[in-house]
Amino acid sequence: MNTNQPKNICVIGLGYIGLPTAVMFANSGVRVHGMDVNEKAVNMIANKQLHIEENGLQERLEEAIDKGYFTVSTQPVEADVYIVAVPSPINPDNTANLEYIRKATASIVPYLKKGALVILESTVPPKTVENVMLPELRKSNLELGVDLFVSHSPERVIPGKIFEELINNDRIVGGITPESAEMTKELYQTFVQGEIHLTDATTAELVKVMENTYRDVNIAFANELAKIAETIDVDIWEAIRFANFHPRVNIHTPGPGVGGHCIAVDPWFLVELSPENSDIIKKSRLTNNGMPKFTAQKAQALLEQHGIQGGNVAVLGLAFKADVDDLRESPSTEVIKELQNLNLQVTSFDPHIKELQHPTQRASLGEALQDVDLIVLTTDHTEFKNLNPETVNTGDTKPLVLDTKNALNRDKWEQAGFRFFKLGDGKNKGLSSI
Ligand code: SAJ
């Protein structure tokens, strides 16, 4: 353990980032108090129950509480370090909503003491530390950079592999002063094995938003290519695989849209910041947002090509991506809306979403698939990839299958009697198998 280690940390916000970060510190021997305004979540965590799904979180939470290093409540406590990990969503008009950040910062002001360090983990528009947090922190009457240290240490972890990435990823840490950044680096070195690169707070804010925007733009490019491939006899999945053999090419994968609370959100921060300079970024967002409609229209066209007007569709996967239980900003729910707008009847199933959270959701795969005309796979969960099509029971008829993630094995599904199609596959438009 680091000798300069702080005696205790208070983590504000116990969601997908705050909770794993809190237990990592606690299990490294730092006393951590977690606070969240969500009383239900706090009670669950106190009883070692999870309100979110993440590989390895259950065991780590139990360890942290059993060792006595992790406590939780709905109020902040006095601490040496505060880590703010609250949501930074967008408003319906795509502008940033920084109220959670502002309120979380305001909530710790009464507890701040000389020498404290405040770290923002949430992804935010550049200048948020300066324009939203610092005005609140000044109310503590502590001199910034002298008595009170502030930094941005954006999380970069991917849901599903949070712990692996918390430990191994490099981090970018930006301080309001070099000392703020140094203190933050020292703290995270408690468990981070990746390199920690230091800069100023605004650069760190921009870097984080740039990373997610890079991905969004690249996915939009892939989606555009998928649409082009559908107009010619090319399977885009095969074409992208070949292109990526080039040492300097890394085209992302197309799909039914971009979900989650990061990649589908953060590019808007740049559009808001500098609308006149963000044409490609904005267009990419709109392209990706248009994919659920494109998917639904393709589904309808397939049904019509096979002589089915209207029809019943089963959507496989509600989560925004593989092997997670999170349906926030999920393209799947948008695909369902679009299918319903086309007057199609929709059922859905997701093995990771245990409670019924969507009106179309069925408790089992079998129930969702009964007598459907078309299966649309929208999330490439491992359970779906491993399905044996020979044992998939759909009732009296074999439905069409539309795989939007290139997740299923075409040969196996065709051998089992299903008529199989993929998003972005112009080689198999469906006409041949009518
Ligand atoms: N997707 C595609 N095609 C792709 C990659 C992703 O359609 O080639 C879709 C996914 O299906 C999903 C969405 O994009 O709907 C986002 O998924 P993701 O796995 O790419 O990313 P997130 O949102 O889970 O996590 C991202 C990560 N950022 C980057 O990879 C640059 C993660 O490192 C960040 O910490 C996280 O955002 C965050 O919290 O900002």
Side-chain angles (χ1 to χ4, degrees), residues 17 123 154-160 165 169 208 210-216 218-219 222-223 251-264 266 288 319-322 324 329-331 378-380 405:
I17 301 302
T123 305
E155 56 83 12
R156 295 169 119 186
V157 293
I158 199 117
E165 295 209 355
N169 286 3
K208 170 61 204 253
M210 272 163 51
E211 292 166 3
N212 282 353
T213 303
Y214 159 80
R215 228 160 139 72
D216 198 44
N218 200 329
I219 297 167
N223 282 329
I251 302 173
H252 288 14
T253 55
V258 171
H261 32 282
C262 311
I263 294 184
D266 303 349
N288 289 337
F320 82 91
K321 67 173 193 172
V324 301
E329 265 93 30
S330 173
T378 48
T379 314
D380 45 347
K405 300 292 288 184

Side-chain angles (χ1 to χ4, degrees), residues 36 41 133 151 209 214 217 239 241 254 283 309 322 378 420:
D36 199 296
M133 290 185 83
S151 69
V209 175
Y214 159 80
V217 171
R241 191 170 68 84
K283 189 73 188 69
Q309 297 298 326
T378 48
F420 191 93

Side-chain angles (χ1 to χ4, degrees), residues 421-434:
F421 310 93
K422 285 192 298 190
L423 184 97
D425 184 1
K427 275 190 176 160
N428 188 353
K429 293 190 179 67
L431 296 169
S432 57
S433 43
I434 291 175

